Amino acid sequence: ILNTSYYKARIILTFSIVTIILVVAISFISYNFIRNLYLEEISSRIKSTTQIISNQIDESYLDILSIGNPTKLTQDYFQNIFTRNIINSNPSEIFLFNKEFLVIVHSQGLYEQQKHTNLLIYKSDIDELQVGQSITSIPFKGGDNVWYLWGFYKVKDNIFLAVRENAKQLEKVEQFALQFIYFGVFLTIVTIMISWFVARSITTPIDKLIKFSNEIGKGNFKVKPSTDIRGEIALLSEAMDKMKNDLSDHQKNREYLLAQIAHEIRNPLGGIELFANLLKEDLIAEKKEIDNVEKILKEVTQLKNLLTAFLNYSKPKPPSPTLINLPEMIKELENIFMPELKKKNIKFSSNLVIKEIN
């Protein structure tokens, strides 16, 4: 099946591979483009949020935080700022922390005077921040299985602002990639169907030409090529039809030539056979040896049979094997070729072993 469907399989496989590569490439590029675009947008928003919150903070309250633990009044001041920004924008968590990653003031009153160990992942980036600079983290999933991003802003020498921004839309971006996979599978199936149709439209006319050529090979010169072949293959079909007609003409010419040759040879053979029979009758009447005449008649008969075989050569027939007397045939060959063998000093010998077949 693979051998007879070689080109069909090649066409389907090529179309499928090209489609899969294109779909994977387009999906990968589209996914990364949309994801990076969204991350750039949310990163920019987080940086703006940290900048806005920082501008809302009174410098005097930052000085109080630098001295020691904040008072209740200071905590309330910062929590009011944080709560207001959470309501007006999208942050889910806002707090201030120092170089030791101790939380100073938290929007929800969490981790205060405790190390926020999650921030240690970004320690090297935070340490490199200058006053007034901000950075954002890579996306991460929180304990609620929702995507978030951190934004960090250096407010004062030893005070940093942290904002955790909700990035729920990133989940939709991830789903978008999954949709591309489904689309790719669907497109691959459609491509296989289309490529099968294209391959069939190419190989079906070729199959018809193969059948046409097989009939020609069998000597059937009356066969007609298929009429529903189009395009370049139709040109090949026309060329094969012309070849068939040429072969048919050649066959007729050969048959005519063989018939003429046979006619020209058979006439003298008929004469030889007639006179040999007359000679045989005379020798019999005179009671003389007739072996040589018998040989002449036998050779004439063989020549006539050979001519008949030549004539039948142009009209092939199914093989019809028959049993022959092999020793007798060898003896006959010896009689035919012995004169020539003697002239060339060639010795004729045979070593025939005959086994009976039950």
Side-chain angles (χ1 to χ4, degrees):
I1 294 174
L2 289 176
N3 289 336
T4 56
S5 303
Y6 176 77
Y7 288 104
K8 185 183 291 185
R10 286 284 297 271
I11 291 171
I12 294 173
L13 186 63
T14 302
F15 269 77
S16 300
I17 291 175
V18 170
T19 301
I20 291 171
I21 292 173
L22 287 176
V23 169
V24 170
I26 292 172
S27 301
F28 180 77
I29 294 171
S30 301
Y31 166 73
N32 280 282
F33 175 77
I34 295 172
R35 190 174 189 273
N36 293 335
L37 191 66
Y38 174 71
L39 289 177
E40 286 179 8
E41 187 273 331
I42 194 172
S43 296
S44 177
R45 191 170 70 234
I46 293 174
K47 288 181 179 180
S48 298
T49 301
T50 57
Q51 181 68 48
I52 291 170
I53 295 173
S54 176
N55 292 338
Q56 295 174 6
I57 298 174
D58 192 327
E59 187 73 23
S60 60
Y61 281 95
L62 293 175
D63 293 336
I64 293 172
L65 294 179
S66 301
I67 296 171
N69 294 334
T71 61
K72 182 68 170 62
L73 181 64
T74 304
Q75 284 182 331
D76 291 341
Y77 170 78
F78 283 108
Q79 285 183 352
N80 286 334
I81 294 175
F82 297 161
T83 302
R84 185 168 64 250
N85 281 277
I86 289 175
I87 294 172
N88 294 335
S89 55
N90 198 39
S92 61
E93 185 179 355
I94 305 174
F95 59 89
L96 294 172
F97 65 96
N98 59 21
K99 288 183 178 180
E100 287 72 34
F101 295 93
L102 289 172
V103 177
I104 303 172
V105 182
H106 196 283
S107 59
Q108 300 171 10
L110 303 174
Y111 307 110
E112 291 182 353
Q113 305 307 315
Q114 298 179 23
K115 274 193 175 183
H116 203 307
T117 53
N118 291 339
L119 303 183
L120 295 175
I121 301 172
Y122 314 102
K123 184 178 184 306
S124 59
D125 295 325
I126 293 172
D127 289 341
E128 292 178 359
L129 281 175
Q130 302 296 321
V131 175
Q133 287 185 340
S134 61
I135 58 169
T136 56
S137 70
I138 60 174
F140 65 93
K141 278 193 174 183
D144 53 1
N145 205 35
V146 177
W147 288 98
Y148 294 96
L149 270 81
W150 282 112
F152 303 109
Y153 183 88
K154 190 167 187 178
V155 183
K156 206 172 178 63
D157 287 339
N158 192 33
I159 300 175
F160 300 87
L161 174 67
V163 175
R164 189 177 73 162
E165 182 85 8
N166 188 304
K168 287 183 178 179
Q169 297 300 322
L170 194 60
E171 189 71 30
K172 293 184 178 179
V173 175
E174 299 296 326
Q175 292 175 358
F176 178 74
L178 191 60
Q179 290 174 357
F180 257 111
I181 293 174
Y182 294 148
F183 176 73
V185 173
F186 170 75
L187 192 59
T188 301
I189 294 172
V190 172
T191 302
I192 291 174
M193 294 174 63
I194 293 174
S195 58
W196 179 85
F197 175 78
V198 173
R200 187 170 177 271
S201 67
I202 295 173
T203 56
T204 299
I206 293 175
D207 291 339
K208 293 179 179 179
L209 286 182
I210 292 172
K211 292 179 181 178
F212 180 55
S213 64
N214 287 337
E215 289 298 318
I216 296 173
K218 293 175 184 177
N220 181 11
F221 297 118
K222 294 181 180 180
V223 65
K224 298 292 183 183
S226 180
T227 57
D228 58 350
I229 298 177
R230 301 288 183 272
E232 292 82 350
I233 299 180
L235 297 176
L236 179 59
S237 177
E238 292 173 4
M240 291 182 67
D241 190 44
K242 184 178 181 302
M243 178 190 71
K244 179 205 71 173
N245 294 331
D246 292 342
L247 287 173
S248 178
D249 293 340
H250 178 70
Q251 179 75 3
K252 291 177 182 177
N253 292 334
R254 186 173 62 177
E255 289 177 4
Y256 176 78
L257 179 62
L258 289 174
Q260 292 298 316
I261 293 173
H263 177 73
E264 294 299 326
I265 296 177
R266 268 182 174 168
N267 285 339
L269 278 179
I272 294 172
E273 187 177 23
L274 175 62
F275 289 117
N277 281 316
L278 292 173
L279 179 61
K280 179 180 176 183
E281 291 175 1
D282 292 340
L283 291 174
I284 292 174
E286 296 176 7
K287 297 181 180 181
K288 292 184 178 180
E289 186 65 40
I290 63 171
D291 287 345
N292 291 332
V293 176
E294 289 284 356
K295 288 180 181 179
I296 292 172
L297 290 171
K298 191 173 184 179
E299 294 300 324
V300 169
T301 302
Q302 288 178 348
L303 285 173
K304 289 172 70 176
N305 292 336
L306 186 60
L307 283 173
T308 302
F310 270 121
L311 289 174
N312 292 332
Y313 173 73
S314 59
K315 302 174 183 177
K317 294 182 180 180
S320 55
T322 56
L323 294 174
I324 62 169
N325 189 327
L326 197 56
E328 186 177 318
M329 178 178 283
I330 294 174
K331 185 65 177 175
E332 184 178 332
L333 291 172
E334 183 180 4
N335 292 334
I336 293 171
F337 295 104
M338 187 55 69
E340 290 294 326
L341 295 176
K342 286 181 177 179
K343 288 178 183 179
K344 298 179 180 180
N345 294 322
I346 297 175
K347 183 180 179 182
F348 181 92
S349 65
S350 65
N351 185 11
L352 186 65
V353 178
I354 300 177
K355 293 183 179 180
E356 291 186 0
I357 300 175
N358 296 329

